[in-house]
Amino acid sequence: IFSRRAALSQIGAAFATVSLPANAKEDGDISLVTDATDALSSLIENWERATVDCTYADVPRELLETKNKEKLLEKASEFALFDKSTSVVSCKRTNRVVRDYIGVTGKGPLVNLEKKLLKQSLVQQVDPDNLDDYFSAVETFSQEMAKANSLSYTAGTADFDSVNNFAKGEASVNEGDSNLEQARRAIEEANKALKIASSLIAVS
């Protein structure tokens, strides 16, 4: 069976034998990898801030009781239903920022990064003795990012705390096994692999 990794390695070996113009090794090739690792690191470090949206307002349950309906209607007519005096702030988990950061919405340095990592001008900057390790890291990166894409997408409609509000300042429900939490772990693994690939690219 001809594995994907073997195919990538053969491509890399072919690139290594091709002579490129002196200006082919551009700083931009390294910069795109650095920008990507910086973006993923920033996302991981600021995960709570990126994934909790506290812009929701709920009517306190006691106001919804029959005996308080007149009071609720009075406040609604005077201040509007979701005035601060008649509502409480609540939150939901959101996948929006995560999906922007991992490049699946067409934004940021992660867009089509795997293809960029396989560019001839970039691969040629890897020592031929390290090509197998480089392509292994790129493959791991690609697999983990595919997981992050799928899991973060599913989180938007399947995770309990993405479709149900929770009080601001309280821990959301089922964080440990939610799709979004699994996406976070996949992003961490992808970033580790990307840093390995980056370390194997020689800076000219």
Side-chain angles (χ1 to χ4, degrees), residues 36-48:
T37 56
D38 287 348
L40 291 181
S41 295
S42 177
L43 175 60
I44 293 165
E45 290 168 9
N46 298 282
W47 187 259
E48 284 297 304

Side-chain angles (χ1 to χ4, degrees), residues 26-198:
E26 299 176 355
D27 289 341
D29 290 336
I30 302 295
S31 294
L32 68 88
V33 181
T34 302
D35 289 347
T37 56
D38 287 348
L40 291 181
S41 295
S42 177
L43 175 60
I44 293 165
E45 290 168 9
N46 298 282
W47 187 259
E48 284 297 304
R49 201 159 141 205
T51 61
V52 177
D53 180 4
C54 292
T55 58
Y56 298 90
D58 297 327
V59 177
R61 184 169 297 180
E62 59 270 19
L63 279 181
L64 296 176
E65 295 177 5
T66 303
K67 63 182 180 180
N68 291 323
K69 280 190 176 178
E70 287 187 11
K71 184 178 179 182
L72 175 61
L73 291 171
E74 179 185 347
K75 284 185 173 291
S77 63
E78 291 178 4
F79 304 109
L81 186 59
F82 293 113
D83 181 79
K84 289 181 180 179
S85 65
T86 62
S87 63
V88 293
V89 176
S90 65
C91 312
K92 285 184 181 180
R93 285 283 176 182
T94 174
N95 63 357
R96 180 176 51 81
V97 174
V98 173
R99 292 183 63 74
D100 283 347
Y101 264 78
I102 65 176
V104 296
T105 60
K107 301 176 182 178
L110 274 294
V111 177
N112 296 322
L113 184 60
E114 184 186 9
K115 291 180 180 178
K116 295 172 184 177
L117 290 169
L118 298 176
K119 281 175 57 180
Q120 180 175 338
S121 58
L122 193 57
V123 172
Q124 185 135 351
Q125 296 182 62
V126 179
D127 188 309
D129 292 337
N130 294 329
L131 280 174
D132 191 57
D133 290 340
Y134 178 78
F135 285 114
S136 176
V138 172
E139 183 175 24
T140 298
F141 166 77
S142 179
Q143 291 171 345
E144 294 299 328
M145 289 302 290
K147 282 186 199 175
N149 179 11
S150 176
L151 288 163
S152 64
Y153 178 83
T154 303
T157 55
D159 283 359
F160 182 87
D161 51 10
S162 292
V163 295
N164 294 279
N165 295 31
F166 56 92
K168 185 177 182 180
E170 289 185 3
S172 55
V173 179
N174 295 328
E175 284 186 347
D177 58 359
S178 69
N179 288 286
L180 200 58
E181 172 58 21
Q182 292 179 65
R184 184 191 66 78
R185 294 197 291 264
I187 291 168
E188 284 187 331
E189 293 303 313
N191 200 28
K192 288 177 186 177
L194 187 57
K195 287 179 178 179
I196 290 172
S198 177

